[in-house]
Structures are given as structure tokens and as C-alpha cells.
Amino acid sequence: MPRLIGSIDQGTTSTRFVIFNEKGEIVTYHQMEFVQNHPQPGWVEHDPYDLLDSVHTCIEHAILKLRLLGHEASDIECIGLTNQRETLITWDSATGHSLYPAIVWSDTRTVDTVKQLASKSKKGVNALKDICGLPLTTYFAGVKLRWLLDNIPVVVQAQNQNRLCVGTVDTWLIYNLTGGLENGGVMVTDVTNASRTMLMDIHALNWSPESIEFFGLEQVRLPRIVSSSEIYGTLAEGSLKGVPIAGCLGDQQAALVGQQCFQKGDAKNTYGTGCFMLFNTGRQPVQSQNGLLTTVAYKFGNHDAAYALEGSVAVAGSSINWLRDNLGIIADAGELNTLASKVKSTAGVYFVTAFAGLFAPYWRSDARGTICGITHFTKLEHICRAALEAVCYQSRVILEAMNMDSKTPLRSLKVDGGMSNSDICMQIQSDILGIPVDRPLMRETTALGSAIAAGFACGIWKSFDELSSINKQDRTLFESKISQKRRNKMCNGWEQAVKRSYGWANVATTVSTEDKVLQL
């Protein structure tokens, strides 16, 4: 009988349910997008029930497809979960209902909250870095929770009455999928997701009393921290009722596992809504001296945790969505790639896609999207190519920081995610990095990572050696085709463009205030 594993991949713009066999091959899947809400500039929200409903829908549609292939739902032995990280959801322990929209990881409403928190410590934004490995920034869940408690009365009331449950997306989904309030839903989070809250001690892998006190969260109900690979509970309803959820990883850590970056020094870059590069640092956390994040890479059962350095680009694939949805100048990513391939360069145009500020290693929440170098010669094709180059330049800056922290320069980079499907984007990436870019044939490595975690928990695999043949065939290697002189010139231009993006959040706020006065 076939041994199948299901993977819930709940991302920032879409959800998918992917079914793998024990060879790591995709049997079938279903994917759907959901609504992105932007109630104010810099705000990004999701309806928590949209996320949950999308998971149910994807599971049921994938099972229908599976049956058409001659399989049954009962062939699926276990389920893994991977999810958008840092996104915060709050709910009432008395009703089980959410209290406020999910505040998404890329949301920047907490700029003032960060300033207030940083002022509490002589270390400023590094107040908790020795504990959690992270700087104070709008990115992380703990800061978002502090904003809710400072601004949303219903959340404050729930806290005062000891009814405030808090979790990242994995916690919300597992709680509801395993029964919720009425049927004994399990409230857990794995170490990778917990490491993105600023509330977990990355050394002890427990909630940090110091961090909780710093944020003022003593009355908040936090989930139990568990490993990335163990049985948490079983699905309470639907075609897969009774099937165990046995693996959980934040999406970028799941991609690291899916790319089998199990050795110290292995690295991968995922090009999704954002872009995320992780570098496996082994069994000890490494504090970056160059603006990177220290995070938990994975923890399988009772085995020691592995750690990673991470650099994040806030806007990658979402810049394509912006060109499509907001400007209406392309129909889809395929058209962008076609247009970008019609020119050999951007003709001096740089597109700094800082829609929500710049993440590692810049950490400039005041930066905003900027297009530099436009002339009468500039065409749509140049803008499209500049959008692809923007992701590649930011990835280069992260890679340089990793090389400095690790003291061991990477010789090649494993890639995955939606934008990695673009040959031109991956060729640009190799050109800008000056090292080979290694792309697998099957790019659903995030879903594969959570399936691997679940498979280990349920005995489908027992050692990493058994994974050696998974997703190794027909990989594509992109190698640089430009000179070092041209590479340096291009990268110097990028850094000049980045500097011109700084401070625009403050300018935009001033203009917005003036507009309100004029309207009155």
C-alpha cells in the first residue's frame, strides 16, 4: 500500500494542501488564494477564519483529486503543517472566537511601539537579543501583541479577565483543526514559530520570563512549546478525521528541511511573498554581528535543536502582485518574466521595493518603495527587470552578512519558492552573487519540509540518510555570466538607490497629516 503524507502549507497570500508519497514526490495538491486587507498604509491583516476555511477547502479538494487517482483518504498516514511566521492571532478562551484580525508579519503599524519599547533599555532595539536572538522591530509577534494591548479595548479586556489566548498561525490552526474549544483543541506551537515571537529563550527553548515581563504579558495565555516533529493531535472533522498532525515548522525553516540543509554551513533562499535566506549554524545559536537574525532551524523529537542565521527581504513576489493588482501593467508573473527578458539590463533603473521598510541587514522601517534612474529611455521592460533585480540585490546583501558572520563564504545557494520558477530571475541572482544557484525540479520544498517532519514522527523515515534521494534528480544550476567589474558597478548603484529610500515613511506621515487638515 502507498504511504502518503499530507502537508498544510498556509502562506501569506495563499494556502495549499500537498500530498506526497514516501519518495517525496507530489501525488496531488490544491491551492487557493485569500483576501489581503490593507485598512491603512503599512497595515496588513488577514481574517483568521479565512485562513482556517482555506485549509479545510484545500484538504477536501485535494482528497477529491486523490480519489480520482485511485487512492483513498485513508492512505494518508499523517499531516505536517507549515505556516507564515510572526503573524499574530488573538482569541477568547471562553468562546474560542478570534478577537481581532490577524496582524501579518509584514505589517508596520508598530513603528512607535518599537520606539517606546527600545527606550526602556540601555541596549535599545537589542534589549532582548541575548535572550531571543532578535532585535526589536515591527516584524515580530511580541511587538504586535504589545500594540494590541495598547490600542484595542476588547483585547485588553480579555487579558484583564485572563481570557486572552495568543498564538502564531500554527497555533490557531492546530487548535481549531484538533477540535477547538468544544472538542478539546490542542494549543501548541513548535520551537521554530516560537522563536519568532521575541518571547522564547532560544537557549532553553522555553518562554522567557524576562521577555514576558518586558512586554507586559504576564496575564496572556501562551501555547505549549513543542518540537517540530511529534504527534500533537488528530484532525477532528472532514475527510481526514482522526489523521495525526505530526509535524510543524515555520515556512522558512520548513524550506530549509525540504532542501535537506541538515549540515552546518548549508544554506537556502526561498523566494515567496518575501524572500528568506537561512544558514544552518549547527547545534549552537550564533549571534550575528552584521544585522542578521538568530533563529531555531528545527528540532526533531528529543534530538537537539539546530539553529540558523536568517536574513529576510520583506517584498519579493509581492512586488509582482503590486505591479499586477495596483498598477495593472502586467497580467501575471509570466508576463513580467517575458518583458524583463526583452532587455539585457535595466538601463540604470533601480526599484527599491521597500513597501514596508527594509529588513535585514538594513533594518530601516522608515524606508519606502523608490524607483531611481528613470529617463526618457526607460520602458516597462526595464521596470520589470528592475523588480526582479531588487530581490536579487537584497539577497546578495544578506549573503555577504552571512559570509562575515560564518567566516566561511558560501560556494553555492539552494533556492526554492515561486519566484525561483523564473529562469531569468535565477540567472540574475547568480550574476549578482557571483556563485552558482542550485534549483530543484520540485520547488514545493516548504510543504515537503513539513511532510518530512511529520513522516519522521510517524516512522515513515527514521534517519536523514533515508532522504538522500528525495528531490535530487534534474536540478538546474545557474552560473554567473558577468564580470566582477560589472557586478560591482551594479551593486554600488543599488546601494545608492537604497540610501535614497530612507526616511520616506516620515515624509509620507507628514503629507498624510497635511491632507487631513486640508480636507477639514
Side-chain angles (χ1 to χ4, degrees):
M1 294 294 293
R3 305 191 74 181
L4 304 183
I5 308 164
S7 175
I8 299 166
D9 184 354
Q10 202 299 295
T12 308
T13 58
S14 69
T15 299
R16 57 177 66 86
F17 185 68
V18 186
I19 301 172
F20 295 93
N21 61 25
E22 68 269 27
K23 297 179 181 179
E25 300 167 336
I26 293 178
V27 178
T28 190
Y29 74 98
H30 188 79
Q31 178 175 356
M32 64 177 291
E33 293 187 355
F34 51 85
V35 176
Q36 308 291 307
N37 298 309
H38 304 276
Q40 295 187 40
W43 291 33
V44 189
E45 296 178 349
H46 293 155
D47 183 333
Y49 293 101
D50 281 352
L51 305 184
L52 181 60
D53 291 345
S54 68
V55 169
H56 285 301
T57 299
C58 287
I59 288 175
E60 294 306 324
H61 279 74
I63 294 303
L64 287 174
K65 295 176 182 179
L66 185 68
R67 286 171 175 151
L68 291 174
L69 294 172
H71 297 283
E72 293 297 330
S74 57
D75 294 336
I76 297 177
E77 294 188 24
C78 54
I79 296 170
L81 168 67
T82 181
N83 56 280
Q84 54 170 309
R85 306 169 305 170
E86 299 94 17
T87 297
L88 181 73
I89 300 176
T90 55
W91 66 97
D92 190 326
S93 64
T95 65
H97 297 158
S98 67
L99 295 168
Y100 192 81
I103 303 181
V104 179
W105 58 270
S106 58
D107 185 289
T108 59
R109 75 185 69 184
T110 55
V111 170
D112 289 338
T113 304
V114 169
K115 292 178 182 177
Q116 292 166 7
L117 290 168
S119 68
K120 294 172 58 176
S121 170
K122 293 180 180 179
K123 295 181 179 180
V125 295
N126 292 321
L128 299 173
K129 192 172 181 181
D130 291 341
I131 296 172
C132 66
L134 309 172
L136 284 164
T137 176
T138 60
Y139 191 11
F140 303 112
V143 177
K144 302 178 195 301
L145 179 54
R146 186 62 259 167
W147 182 91
L148 284 171
L149 290 168
D150 290 338
N151 292 275
I152 307 301
V154 67
V155 177
V156 176
Q157 183 181 28
Q159 182 198 39
N160 292 339
Q161 297 177 1
N162 295 311
R163 296 184 289 106
L164 179 57
C165 292
V166 174
T168 42
V169 171
D170 59 315
T171 302
W172 169 252
L173 292 179
I174 292 175
Y175 173 72
N176 283 285
L177 291 172
T178 57
L181 179 65
E182 295 183 358
N183 294 298
V186 180
M187 191 170 163
V188 296
T189 187
D190 95 296
V191 290
T192 66
N193 281 291
S195 73
R196 313 301 292 191
T197 62
M198 297 198 74
L199 304 178
M200 188 186 82
D201 184 328
I202 58 169
H203 306 278
L205 304 182
N206 292 319
W207 297 122
S208 163
E210 295 89 345
S211 294
I212 290 171
E213 181 181 1
F214 180 85
F215 284 104
L217 308 178
E218 290 85 352
Q219 292 177 269
V220 169
R221 295 191 177 194
L222 294 169
R224 178 168 56 92
I225 298 176
V226 294
S227 81
S228 310
S229 178
E230 61 181 88
I231 295 175
Y232 314 118
T234 60
L235 262 64
E237 60 180 295
S239 298
L240 297 181
K241 182 178 180 180
V243 176
I245 301 176
C248 180
L249 290 154
D251 51 10
Q252 303 315 316
Q253 286 92 335
L256 190 78
V257 171
Q259 287 275 27
Q260 297 185 48
C261 295
F262 297 127
Q263 300 300 316
K264 183 178 180 179
D266 288 345
K268 68 88 198 176
N269 202 19
T270 297
Y271 303 77
T273 302
C275 185
F276 304 87
M277 189 181 297
L278 269 70
F279 180 99
N280 188 328
T281 60
R283 303 302 175 184
Q284 295 295 325
V286 174
Q287 292 287 0
S288 173
Q289 303 303 312
N290 296 282
L292 301 177
L293 308 175
T294 303
T295 194
V296 180
Y298 54 85
K299 184 181 188 302
F300 278 29
N302 294 324
H303 294 281
D304 292 341
Y307 293 87
L309 286 171
E310 176 176 335
S312 308
V313 178
V315 175
S318 55
S319 65
I320 300 174
N321 293 345
W322 182 79
L323 292 170
R324 179 194 68 189
D325 300 336
N326 291 39
L327 298 191
I329 59 177
I330 59 169
D332 51 36
E335 184 179 359
L336 180 134
N337 290 323
T338 299
L339 291 168
S341 65
K342 290 182 178 180
V343 291
K344 294 183 178 180
S345 74
T346 65
V349 173
Y350 290 89
F351 184 3
V352 183
T353 54
F355 300 154
L358 290 169
F359 286 177
Y362 302 106
W363 296 115
R364 292 294 297 252
S365 60
D366 62 331
R368 285 296 178 267
T370 308
I371 302 179
C372 300
I374 295 176
T375 68
H376 286 296
F377 181 73
T378 302
K379 301 177 182 178
L380 175 59
E381 288 85 348
H382 297 124
I383 301 295
C384 289
R385 188 179 181 98
L388 296 179
E389 286 192 358
V391 181
C392 300
Y393 282 124
Q394 292 177 86
S395 295
R396 175 189 167 92
V397 175
I398 292 169
L399 182 60
E400 288 177 334
M402 287 184 172
N403 286 340
M404 287 187 285
D405 278 333
S406 69
K407 308 294 191 299
T408 307
L410 281 179
R411 296 183 179 180
S412 67
L413 181 67
K414 296 179 180 180
V415 298
D416 52 64
M419 287 186 74
S420 71
N421 293 324
S422 167
D423 286 358
I424 183 173
C425 185
M426 294 300 96
Q427 184 59 56
I428 291 171
Q429 185 68 89
S430 181
D431 289 341
I432 289 175
L433 293 179
I435 62 174
V437 168
D438 182 4
R439 183 182 70 186
L441 178 63
M442 194 280 292
R443 260 87 84 186
E444 293 289 350
T445 52
T446 302
L448 177 60
S450 73
I452 288 173
F456 266 87
C458 293
I460 293 176
W461 301 290
K462 294 180 176 61
S463 72
F464 290 150
D465 291 341
E466 295 180 31
L467 304 173
S468 59
S469 63
I470 288 179
N471 207 23
K472 290 294 192 293
Q473 302 299 316
D474 300 318
R475 298 181 77 96
T476 303
L477 201 66
F478 297 88
E479 300 193 65
S480 178
K481 296 180 179 179
I482 67 173
S483 67
Q484 185 63 43
K485 182 178 179 180
R486 183 182 174 191
R487 183 178 301 115
N488 290 341
K489 183 178 180 180
M490 292 169 65
C491 293
N492 288 338
W494 168 257
E495 289 303 325
Q496 291 301 313
V498 167
K499 291 177 182 177
R500 285 158 173 77
S501 75
Y502 292 165
W504 277 108
N506 302 329
V507 173
T509 300
T510 302
V511 171
S512 176
T513 303
E514 291 175 351
D515 287 345
K516 290 179 181 178
V517 173
L518 289 173
Q519 290 171 4
L520 291 174

mmCIF file of all heavy atoms in Angstrom, residues 265-299:
data_model
loop_
_atom_site.group_PDB
_atom_site.id
_atom_site.type_symbol
_atom_site.label_atom_id
_atom_site.label_comp_id
_atom_site.label_asym_id
_atom_site.label_seq_id
_atom_site.Cartn_x
_atom_site.Cartn_y
_atom_site.Cartn_z
ATOM 1 N N GLY A 265 26.589 24.926 7.859
ATOM 2 C CA GLY A 265 27.115 25.578 6.663
ATOM 3 C C GLY A 265 26.202 25.486 5.458
ATOM 4 O O GLY A 265 26.410 26.191 4.469
ATOM 5 N N ASP A 266 25.162 24.625 5.510
ATOM 6 C CA ASP A 266 24.187 24.557 4.412
ATOM 7 C C ASP A 266 23.288 25.794 4.438
ATOM 8 O O ASP A 266 22.958 26.310 5.520
ATOM 9 C CB ASP A 266 23.320 23.304 4.537
ATOM 10 C CG ASP A 266 24.063 22.030 4.208
ATOM 11 O OD1 ASP A 266 25.152 22.131 3.624
ATOM 12 O OD2 ASP A 266 23.567 20.934 4.545
ATOM 13 N N ALA A 267 22.867 26.265 3.269
ATOM 14 C CA ALA A 267 22.009 27.449 3.203
ATOM 15 C C ALA A 267 21.023 27.322 2.056
ATOM 16 O O ALA A 267 21.263 26.624 1.064
ATOM 17 C CB ALA A 267 22.844 28.715 3.029
ATOM 18 N N LYS A 268 19.899 28.010 2.217
ATOM 19 C CA LYS A 268 18.877 28.047 1.160
ATOM 20 C C LYS A 268 18.254 29.441 1.126
ATOM 21 O O LYS A 268 18.300 30.206 2.099
ATOM 22 C CB LYS A 268 17.808 26.986 1.392
ATOM 23 C CG LYS A 268 16.922 27.246 2.617
ATOM 24 C CD LYS A 268 15.712 28.111 2.317
ATOM 25 C CE LYS A 268 15.108 28.718 3.561
ATOM 26 N NZ LYS A 268 13.995 29.643 3.282
ATOM 27 N N ASN A 269 17.661 29.779 -0.012
ATOM 28 C CA ASN A 269 16.949 31.042 -0.164
ATOM 29 C C ASN A 269 15.585 30.746 -0.768
ATOM 30 O O ASN A 269 15.498 30.093 -1.819
ATOM 31 C CB ASN A 269 17.732 31.991 -1.078
ATOM 32 C CG ASN A 269 17.365 33.449 -0.854
ATOM 33 O OD1 ASN A 269 16.802 33.802 0.176
ATOM 34 N ND2 ASN A 269 17.684 34.292 -1.812
ATOM 35 N N THR A 270 14.532 31.188 -0.103
ATOM 36 C CA THR A 270 13.164 30.959 -0.575
ATOM 37 C C THR A 270 12.581 32.266 -1.088
ATOM 38 O O THR A 270 12.552 33.271 -0.375
ATOM 39 C CB THR A 270 12.278 30.398 0.552
ATOM 40 O OG1 THR A 270 12.776 29.125 0.958
ATOM 41 C CG2 THR A 270 10.834 30.241 0.082
ATOM 42 N N TYR A 271 12.101 32.238 -2.325
ATOM 43 C CA TYR A 271 11.539 33.418 -2.970
ATOM 44 C C TYR A 271 10.021 33.276 -3.007
ATOM 45 O O TYR A 271 9.459 32.668 -3.918
ATOM 46 C CB TYR A 271 12.076 33.558 -4.389
ATOM 47 C CG TYR A 271 13.580 33.628 -4.488
ATOM 48 C CD1 TYR A 271 14.363 32.479 -4.364
ATOM 49 C CD2 TYR A 271 14.231 34.835 -4.717
ATOM 50 C CE1 TYR A 271 15.742 32.527 -4.450
ATOM 51 C CE2 TYR A 271 15.611 34.906 -4.812
ATOM 52 C CZ TYR A 271 16.356 33.750 -4.678
ATOM 53 O OH TYR A 271 17.734 33.808 -4.766
ATOM 54 N N GLY A 272 9.366 33.813 -1.998
ATOM 55 C CA GLY A 272 7.917 33.766 -1.937
ATOM 56 C C GLY A 272 7.357 35.165 -1.923
ATOM 57 O O GLY A 272 7.801 36.041 -2.669
ATOM 58 N N THR A 273 6.348 35.407 -1.066
ATOM 59 C CA THR A 273 5.840 36.769 -0.894
ATOM 60 C C THR A 273 6.976 37.682 -0.465
ATOM 61 O O THR A 273 7.139 38.790 -0.968
ATOM 62 C CB THR A 273 4.731 36.777 0.170
ATOM 63 O OG1 THR A 273 3.696 35.877 -0.240
ATOM 64 C CG2 THR A 273 4.161 38.175 0.336
ATOM 65 N N GLY A 274 7.761 37.209 0.513
ATOM 66 C CA GLY A 274 9.034 37.824 0.856
ATOM 67 C C GLY A 274 10.139 36.885 0.416
ATOM 68 O O GLY A 274 9.899 35.880 -0.264
ATOM 69 N N CYS A 275 11.365 37.213 0.785
ATOM 70 C CA CYS A 275 12.496 36.371 0.411
ATOM 71 C C CYS A 275 13.303 36.101 1.676
ATOM 72 O O CYS A 275 13.621 37.037 2.415
ATOM 73 C CB CYS A 275 13.342 37.089 -0.635
ATOM 74 S SG CYS A 275 14.691 36.105 -1.280
ATOM 75 N N PHE A 276 13.644 34.832 1.923
ATOM 76 C CA PHE A 276 14.223 34.459 3.205
ATOM 77 C C PHE A 276 15.382 33.499 3.003
ATOM 78 O O PHE A 276 15.219 32.413 2.449
ATOM 79 C CB PHE A 276 13.161 33.810 4.090
ATOM 80 C CG PHE A 276 11.946 34.682 4.285
ATOM 81 C CD1 PHE A 276 10.897 34.645 3.386
ATOM 82 C CD2 PHE A 276 11.880 35.558 5.360
ATOM 83 C CE1 PHE A 276 9.778 35.458 3.558
ATOM 84 C CE2 PHE A 276 10.777 36.369 5.541
ATOM 85 C CZ PHE A 276 9.729 36.326 4.638
ATOM 86 N N MET A 277 16.564 33.931 3.467
ATOM 87 C CA MET A 277 17.766 33.114 3.374
ATOM 88 C C MET A 277 18.123 32.593 4.766
ATOM 89 O O MET A 277 18.206 33.382 5.724
ATOM 90 C CB MET A 277 18.922 33.922 2.808
ATOM 91 C CG MET A 277 20.149 33.093 2.481
ATOM 92 S SD MET A 277 21.534 34.090 1.830
ATOM 93 C CE MET A 277 20.810 34.733 0.321
ATOM 94 N N LEU A 278 18.302 31.282 4.895
ATOM 95 C CA LEU A 278 18.687 30.659 6.154
ATOM 96 C C LEU A 278 19.985 29.897 5.988
ATOM 97 O O LEU A 278 20.189 29.227 4.963
ATOM 98 C CB LEU A 278 17.603 29.708 6.663
ATOM 99 C CG LEU A 278 16.545 30.312 7.617
ATOM 100 C CD1 LEU A 278 15.650 31.266 6.862
ATOM 101 C CD2 LEU A 278 15.737 29.218 8.276
ATOM 102 N N PHE A 279 20.837 29.997 7.009
ATOM 103 C CA PHE A 279 22.161 29.377 7.026
ATOM 104 C C PHE A 279 22.261 28.531 8.288
ATOM 105 O O PHE A 279 22.166 29.057 9.395
ATOM 106 C CB PHE A 279 23.221 30.493 7.018
ATOM 107 C CG PHE A 279 24.643 30.022 7.028
ATOM 108 C CD1 PHE A 279 25.372 29.970 5.855
ATOM 109 C CD2 PHE A 279 25.274 29.657 8.211
ATOM 110 C CE1 PHE A 279 26.705 29.561 5.853
ATOM 111 C CE2 PHE A 279 26.587 29.247 8.228
ATOM 112 C CZ PHE A 279 27.315 29.197 7.044
ATOM 113 N N ASN A 280 22.413 27.227 8.130
ATOM 114 C CA ASN A 280 22.479 26.295 9.259
ATOM 115 C C ASN A 280 23.788 26.509 10.028
ATOM 116 O O ASN A 280 24.876 26.357 9.473
ATOM 117 C CB ASN A 280 22.391 24.853 8.751
ATOM 118 C CG ASN A 280 22.253 23.832 9.875
ATOM 119 O OD1 ASN A 280 22.769 24.015 10.966
ATOM 120 N ND2 ASN A 280 21.542 22.746 9.594
ATOM 121 N N THR A 281 23.664 26.883 11.312
ATOM 122 C CA THR A 281 24.857 27.127 12.136
ATOM 123 C C THR A 281 25.138 25.986 13.108
ATOM 124 O O THR A 281 26.017 26.101 13.962
ATOM 125 C CB THR A 281 24.715 28.440 12.927
ATOM 126 O OG1 THR A 281 23.569 28.360 13.800
ATOM 127 C CG2 THR A 281 24.579 29.624 11.996
ATOM 128 N N GLY A 282 24.380 24.894 13.023
ATOM 129 C CA GLY A 282 24.650 23.739 13.880
ATOM 130 C C GLY A 282 23.879 23.768 15.186
ATOM 131 O O GLY A 282 22.795 24.349 15.274
ATOM 132 N N ARG A 283 24.421 23.153 16.214
ATOM 133 C CA ARG A 283 23.703 22.929 17.467
ATOM 134 C C ARG A 283 23.793 24.075 18.457
ATOM 135 O O ARG A 283 23.238 23.994 19.555
ATOM 136 C CB ARG A 283 24.234 21.651 18.130
ATOM 137 C CG ARG A 283 24.116 20.410 17.243
ATOM 138 C CD ARG A 283 22.680 20.132 16.810
ATOM 139 N NE ARG A 283 22.599 19.007 15.879
ATOM 140 C CZ ARG A 283 21.480 18.608 15.288
ATOM 141 N NH1 ARG A 283 20.365 19.262 15.529
ATOM 142 N NH2 ARG A 283 21.483 17.599 14.454
ATOM 143 N N GLN A 284 24.490 25.145 18.087
ATOM 144 C CA GLN A 284 24.595 26.300 18.979
ATOM 145 C C GLN A 284 24.129 27.558 18.251
ATOM 146 O O GLN A 284 24.475 27.764 17.087
ATOM 147 C CB GLN A 284 26.036 26.493 19.450
ATOM 148 C CG GLN A 284 26.581 25.367 20.308
ATOM 149 C CD GLN A 284 25.847 25.237 21.633
ATOM 150 O OE1 GLN A 284 25.422 26.222 22.229
ATOM 151 N NE2 GLN A 284 25.693 24.003 22.110
ATOM 152 N N PRO A 285 23.322 28.395 18.921
ATOM 153 C CA PRO A 285 22.910 29.650 18.283
ATOM 154 C C PRO A 285 24.092 30.592 18.127
ATOM 155 O O PRO A 285 24.968 30.661 18.995
ATOM 156 C CB PRO A 285 21.873 30.216 19.256
ATOM 157 C CG PRO A 285 22.184 29.582 20.572
ATOM 158 C CD PRO A 285 22.759 28.235 20.265
ATOM 159 N N VAL A 286 24.145 31.294 16.993
ATOM 160 C CA VAL A 286 25.199 32.259 16.708
ATOM 161 C C VAL A 286 24.584 33.649 16.665
ATOM 162 O O VAL A 286 23.636 33.887 15.912
ATOM 163 C CB VAL A 286 25.884 31.949 15.359
ATOM 164 C CG1 VAL A 286 26.881 33.050 14.996
ATOM 165 C CG2 VAL A 286 26.577 30.584 15.410
ATOM 166 N N GLN A 287 25.102 34.555 17.483
ATOM 167 C CA GLN A 287 24.619 35.934 17.478
ATOM 168 C C GLN A 287 25.306 36.695 16.353
ATOM 169 O O GLN A 287 26.529 36.808 16.309
ATOM 170 C CB GLN A 287 24.897 36.606 18.827
ATOM 171 C CG GLN A 287 24.092 36.046 19.986
ATOM 172 C CD GLN A 287 22.618 36.442 19.944
ATOM 173 O OE1 GLN A 287 22.175 37.150 19.051
ATOM 174 N NE2 GLN A 287 21.853 35.981 20.914
ATOM 175 N N SER A 288 24.508 37.220 15.442
ATOM 176 C CA SER A 288 25.055 37.924 14.288
ATOM 177 C C SER A 288 25.655 39.264 14.693
ATOM 178 O O SER A 288 25.114 39.979 15.538
ATOM 179 C CB SER A 288 23.962 38.150 13.241
ATOM 180 O OG SER A 288 24.433 38.962 12.182
ATOM 181 N N GLN A 289 26.764 39.614 14.053
ATOM 182 C CA GLN A 289 27.372 40.929 14.219
ATOM 183 C C GLN A 289 27.098 41.810 13.011
ATOM 184 O O GLN A 289 27.628 42.912 12.894
ATOM 185 C CB GLN A 289 28.888 40.770 14.403
ATOM 186 C CG GLN A 289 29.290 39.882 15.563
ATOM 187 C CD GLN A 289 28.729 40.355 16.890
ATOM 188 O OE1 GLN A 289 28.821 41.539 17.227
ATOM 189 N NE2 GLN A 289 28.126 39.441 17.654
ATOM 190 N N ASN A 290 26.244 41.320 12.106
ATOM 191 C CA ASN A 290 26.040 42.013 10.839
ATOM 192 C C ASN A 290 24.566 42.141 10.457
ATOM 193 O O ASN A 290 24.210 42.116 9.284
ATOM 194 C CB ASN A 290 26.802 41.280 9.724
ATOM 195 C CG ASN A 290 28.297 41.302 9.946
ATOM 196 O OD1 ASN A 290 28.958 42.299 9.699
ATOM 197 N ND2 ASN A 290 28.834 40.187 10.440
ATOM 198 N N GLY A 291 23.711 42.271 11.471
ATOM 199 C CA GLY A 291 22.317 42.588 11.196
ATOM 200 C C GLY A 291 21.410 41.425 10.878
ATOM 201 O O GLY A 291 20.263 41.634 10.471
ATOM 202 N N LEU A 292 21.881 40.195 11.044
ATOM 203 C CA LEU A 292 21.039 39.034 10.772
ATOM 204 C C LEU A 292 20.309 38.581 12.034
ATOM 205 O O LEU A 292 20.598 39.034 13.138
ATOM 206 C CB LEU A 292 21.889 37.885 10.227
ATOM 207 C CG LEU A 292 22.664 38.186 8.947
ATOM 208 C CD1 LEU A 292 23.513 36.986 8.566
ATOM 209 C CD2 LEU A 292 21.713 38.564 7.811
ATOM 210 N N LEU A 293 19.377 37.662 11.860
ATOM 211 C CA LEU A 293 18.585 37.140 12.968
ATOM 212 C C LEU A 293 19.101 35.767 13.376
ATOM 213 O O LEU A 293 19.526 34.974 12.532
ATOM 214 C CB LEU A 293 17.120 37.013 12.552
ATOM 215 C CG LEU A 293 16.472 38.258 11.954
ATOM 216 C CD1 LEU A 293 15.063 37.924 11.473
ATOM 217 C CD2 LEU A 293 16.452 39.382 12.952
ATOM 218 N N THR A 294 19.036 35.485 14.670
ATOM 219 C CA THR A 294 19.344 34.150 15.174
ATOM 220 C C THR A 294 18.017 33.440 15.422
ATOM 221 O O THR A 294 17.139 33.976 16.107
ATOM 222 C CB THR A 294 20.151 34.227 16.471
ATOM 223 O OG1 THR A 294 21.340 34.971 16.227
ATOM 224 C CG2 THR A 294 20.513 32.837 16.966
ATOM 225 N N THR A 295 17.871 32.245 14.884
ATOM 226 C CA THR A 295 16.584 31.562 14.965
ATOM 227 C C THR A 295 16.792 30.062 15.119
ATOM 228 O O THR A 295 17.878 29.544 14.854
ATOM 229 C CB THR A 295 15.751 31.871 13.693
ATOM 230 O OG1 THR A 295 14.398 31.487 13.882
ATOM 231 C CG2 THR A 295 16.303 31.157 12.465
ATOM 232 N N VAL A 296 15.752 29.369 15.566
ATOM 233 C CA VAL A 296 15.790 27.903 15.618
ATOM 234 C C VAL A 296 15.488 27.374 14.225
ATOM 235 O O VAL A 296 14.523 27.795 13.584
ATOM 236 C CB VAL A 296 14.770 27.351 16.627
ATOM 237 C CG1 VAL A 296 14.828 25.821 16.646
ATOM 238 C CG2 VAL A 296 15.038 27.905 18.025
ATOM 239 N N ALA A 297 16.318 26.460 13.737
ATOM 240 C CA ALA A 297 16.130 25.893 12.402
ATOM 241 C C ALA A 297 15.117 24.751 12.412
ATOM 242 O O ALA A 297 14.226 24.684 11.568
ATOM 243 C CB ALA A 297 17.464 25.394 11.843
ATOM 244 N N TYR A 298 15.235 23.851 13.383
ATOM 245 C CA TYR A 298 14.301 22.734 13.536
ATOM 246 C C TYR A 298 14.686 21.950 14.780
ATOM 247 O O TYR A 298 15.813 22.056 15.278
ATOM 248 C CB TYR A 298 14.309 21.798 12.308
ATOM 249 C CG TYR A 298 15.674 21.290 11.933
ATOM 250 C CD1 TYR A 298 16.226 20.170 12.548
ATOM 251 C CD2 TYR A 298 16.423 21.934 10.950
ATOM 252 C CE1 TYR A 298 17.490 19.713 12.214
ATOM 253 C CE2 TYR A 298 17.691 21.483 10.607
ATOM 254 C CZ TYR A 298 18.225 20.380 11.239
ATOM 255 O OH TYR A 298 19.487 19.927 10.915
ATOM 256 N N LYS A 299 13.764 21.162 15.280
ATOM 257 C CA LYS A 299 14.031 20.228 16.371
ATOM 258 C C LYS A 299 13.157 19.006 16.159
ATOM 259 O O LYS A 299 11.929 19.094 16.204
ATOM 260 C CB LYS A 299 13.740 20.856 17.742
ATOM 261 C CG LYS A 299 14.108 19.939 18.920
ATOM 262 C CD LYS A 299 13.788 20.594 20.254
ATOM 263 C CE LYS A 299 14.316 19.779 21.422
ATOM 264 N NZ LYS A 299 13.787 18.392 21.448
#
